[in-house]
Amino acid sequence: VIGTADHETGGRTVEGKPGKWEIKYSTKGHTGADVPVSAWGPGSINFNRALDNTDIPANIGTAMGFSFP
């Protein structure tokens, strides 16, 4: 099982103090911020870290037993 997103939206930040949190957005569109990726199951160790988005399909193939040049 792999969970991730294709982009971050809104540039969300949370400000304030316990009991008085405020959510703010820096944009109404996409941002270049990193998004989390996590996985569970065989080969999941290859996903639970910072990755370039192009590494995800290769890691899926490797987990399925495919080899790449």
Side-chain angles (χ1 to χ4, degrees):
V1 176
I2 302 164
T4 191
D6 62 340
H7 60 79
E8 193 268 351
T9 302
R12 184 175 56 181
T13 59
V14 179
E15 299 177 355
K17 56 185 178 180
K20 292 207 94 161
W21 298 112
E22 182 179 357
I23 298 174
K24 295 185 176 184
Y25 297 90
S26 62
T27 181
K28 293 183 180 189
H30 299 180
T31 70
D34 290 341
V35 295
V37 59
S38 60
W40 177 82
S44 61
I45 190 86
N46 296 313
F47 295 92
N48 296 330
R49 58 185 166 83
L51 293 170
D52 186 88
N53 64 338
T54 61
D55 292 335
I56 294 173
N59 286 354
I60 292 170
T62 299
M64 294 175 69
F66 297 107
S67 61
F68 297 91

